[in-house]
Amino acid sequence: MNTLILFTSHHGTTRKLAFRLAKDLGIPEESVQDFKNNKNINFDIYDFVIIGSSIHVGNIPSDFKKFLIKNTNLLLTKQIAIFMCAMEKSELKIKEFEDNFPKELREKSLANGIMGGEYLFEKMNFFEKFIIKKISGSLESKSDIDYEVYADFVEKLKLSAQFC
Ligand SMILES: Cc1cc2nc3c(=O)[nH]c(=O)nc-3n(C[C@H](O)[C@H](O)[C@H](O)COP(=O)(O)O)c2cc1C
C-alpha cells in the first residue's frame, strides 16, 4: 500500500513519532510529510493515509483541522489511521481527540492512537513556558509518550495492511 504519513508538530514530538512510525512500518521517509511545509497534498497516489497532530490549548492547528474537514470525503475513500500527542489525563485526551478529528474519520480509522506527549521547555517561547509551568508546576522538560499505545497502534496497522 502506498502510504502517506501527514503530521503537524509544534515542538517536534509528533514529528518524531511520525518518522518512528515510518521506520517501524517500512514506509519510506519521503512519504512522511509535514503539513506546515506542504498544504497541497495529492492524495490520488496514496491508498493509506496516517494522520498525526498534537494538541495545544485544546486544539490541533486550526488550518489542519479545516484541511481535514475539507478533505473528509476524499480521505474516506482511503484506508486511514489517526494518532495524537497530548499531555492531558486520559478522559480529557479522549475528549480532545473527539473534538478535533471529524467523527467520520475517527470511525473509519483502522487505529486511533492517543499517545501522550512531551513538554520540551527548551523549545517553548516565553508564553508557552508560563502556561506549562502553571499546569505542570515545574520548568523541567518531561517525556510522557505512551509507548504501549504506540506499539498497539503499530501492531494494528501491521495486521491490517502491507505498507510501502
Ligand atoms: C503551550 C502548550 C499548550 C498545550 N496544551 C495542551 C492541551 O490543551 N491539552 C493537552 O492534552 N496537551 C497540551 N499540551 C501538550 C502537547 O500536546 C505536548 O507537548 C505534545 O507532545 C506536543 O507535541 P508537538 O511537539 O508535536 O506539538 C500543550 C503543550 C504546550 C507547550
Side-chain angles (χ1 to χ4, degrees):
M1 284 218 168
N2 203 15
T3 306
L4 168 70
I5 302 181
L6 181 64
F7 72 92
T8 64
S9 181
H10 281 74
H11 298 138
T13 301
T14 316
R15 161 184 284 275
K16 181 166 67 182
L17 289 181
F19 279 97
R20 185 176 169 137
L21 271 174
K23 194 160 171 257
D24 289 346
L25 294 170
I27 297 165
E29 282 198 356
E30 312 83 75
S31 298
V32 184
Q33 297 277 334
D34 184 340
F35 177 69
K36 269 190 215 150
N37 304 331
N38 185 3
K39 297 193 165 53
N40 294 310
I41 305 287
N42 175 13
F43 286 113
D44 290 349
I45 58 171
Y46 299 109
D47 317 293
F48 205 118
V49 181
I50 301 173
I51 297 158
S53 183
S54 59
I55 294 283
H56 280 243
V57 199
N59 292 293
I60 63 173
S62 60
D63 57 348
F64 194 54
K65 194 171 185 176
K66 280 186 200 140
F67 176 86
L68 294 178
I69 292 169
K70 187 171 157 224
N71 287 287
T72 291
N73 285 339
L74 183 53
L75 286 164
L76 289 174
T77 67
K78 316 280 177 191
Q79 299 275 46
I80 53 171
I82 305 173
F83 70 99
M84 184 184 94
C85 289
M87 289 292 270
E88 278 288 5
K89 296 191 178 62
S90 313
E91 327 78 61
L92 275 167
K93 275 192 288 210
I94 293 169
K95 181 162 180 356
E96 289 175 331
F97 185 72
E98 290 174 354
D99 287 346
N100 279 283
F101 294 93
K103 186 167 187 274
E104 300 94 314
L105 296 185
R106 287 187 276 116
E107 285 177 356
K108 165 105 202 256
S109 176
L110 287 171
N112 289 321
I114 301 176
M115 297 190 178
E118 295 176 308
Y119 286 140
L120 301 175
F121 277 94
E122 64 279 13
K123 303 216 171 141
M124 290 180 203
N125 61 32
F126 175 81
F127 183 59
E128 291 171 333
K129 281 181 185 156
F130 180 78
I131 297 177
I132 300 307
K133 182 172 180 285
K134 264 201 137 177
I135 294 171
S136 71
S138 158
L139 269 171
E140 261 181 50
S141 292
K142 78 168 183 180
S143 183
D144 212 355
I145 295 171
D146 191 333
Y147 285 105
E148 268 183 39
V149 171
Y150 174 84
D152 185 55
F153 186 80
V154 169
E155 211 42 50
K156 277 189 185 143
L157 296 192
K158 277 187 177 165
L159 285 174
S160 57
Q162 286 283 327
F163 293 95
C164 61

